[in-house]
Amino acid sequence: MKIIACIYRPWILDPRVHPVKEAIPTATGYSFPSGHTTNATNLFGGLVLRGHLSKALKIILIAGILLVGFSRIYLGVHTIIDVSFAIIFTLIILVFFSKLYDMLDEKPNLNIIISSVAIIIGILILIYTMTKSYPLDYNSAGKLIVDPAIMTIDTFKYVGLGVGVFLSWPIERRYIKFSTEGTLKRKILRFICGLIPLIIIKKCLSPLLGDDPLGGFLQFFVVMIFIMLIYPIIIKLFQKRNNQSKI
């Protein structure tokens, strides 16, 4: 949506807007829609929609979405339209996928169809990103207000993440069947043991693959393959070995 609209930040469009100086480094790229608000709505909204949570906790999460959106407006790095669209659009996507997810038990092959369509959409997004024309406006210092090369790299990263997710999802669901059940202690241990190699992989991949579109795509693709396939397999094997040793 950012590369389709190519809308500059509020202080660029209107000199009367004075953003908080400390917030500017986190406000890179185009303005519409708000990425922070999109991420908050995706995470908190997904928990409200699919999580088995108390009413009080759901209210707190909803408040979290609104507070993140308000903070972006208050800091002067987004407009009300940026934030409102981010919330509404993300909620529509969440509800849509939630409905599809509920249909999986009746239609087991649906996840393959969903993943195939999503990967095709990702490829089309990459083609669009590489072929579209971007505005090339410069600021008073003679620098591009938004560098199309950076936007291209960012888009490749997120498409790589998406392709990794939708390629792994049917495989995990059919063959690995990872379960999040367990005691709180086991969940915390599982999280820490997975986080450490994930950080190492991310740190090693960045200099190895380079900071170009293809390198960005592969970095996020490999990270998601580790999260959704490799690490769940390791846990399953460890649990199987542990159960056999008890027997």
Side-chain angles (χ1 to χ4, degrees), residues 70-90:
F70 173 77
S71 72
R72 304 308 289 168
I73 299 171
Y74 176 80
L75 293 171
V77 295
H78 280 292
T79 65
I80 295 176
I81 295 176
D82 296 341
V83 169
S84 300
F85 181 87
I87 293 174
I88 295 170
F89 181 76
T90 308

Side-chain angles (χ1 to χ4, degrees), residues 104-173:
L104 288 176
D105 290 334
E106 298 178 3
K107 300 178 180 180
N109 291 328
L110 183 61
N111 58 356
I112 297 177
I113 298 173
I114 295 172
S115 293
S116 300
V117 172
I119 291 172
I120 291 172
I121 291 174
I123 294 171
L124 293 176
I125 290 173
L126 294 183
I127 294 173
Y128 175 77
T129 303
M130 292 184 294
T131 56
K132 78 158 288 180
S133 59
Y134 295 85
L136 299 175
D137 299 310
Y138 293 82
N139 59 23
S140 58
K143 294 183 179 181
L144 282 168
I145 295 175
V146 176
D147 190 345
I150 295 176
M151 295 302 298
T152 300
I153 292 173
D154 287 345
T155 305
F156 268 72
K157 286 180 179 179
Y158 289 117
V159 172
L161 184 150
V163 171
V165 167
F166 284 106
L167 186 64
S168 303
W169 178 44
I171 298 173
E172 191 283 325
R173 185 175 174 85

Side-chain angles (χ1 to χ4, degrees), residues 194-209 218-219 222-227 230-231:
L195 184 63
I196 294 173
L198 181 61
I199 293 174
I200 295 173
I201 290 171
K202 188 70 173 63
K203 292 292 184 182
C204 292
L205 284 178
S206 184
L208 182 64
L209 297 176
L218 292 175
Q219 285 179 46
V222 172
V223 164
M224 291 314 302
I225 292 294
F226 173 80
I227 292 173
I230 297 175
Y231 190 52

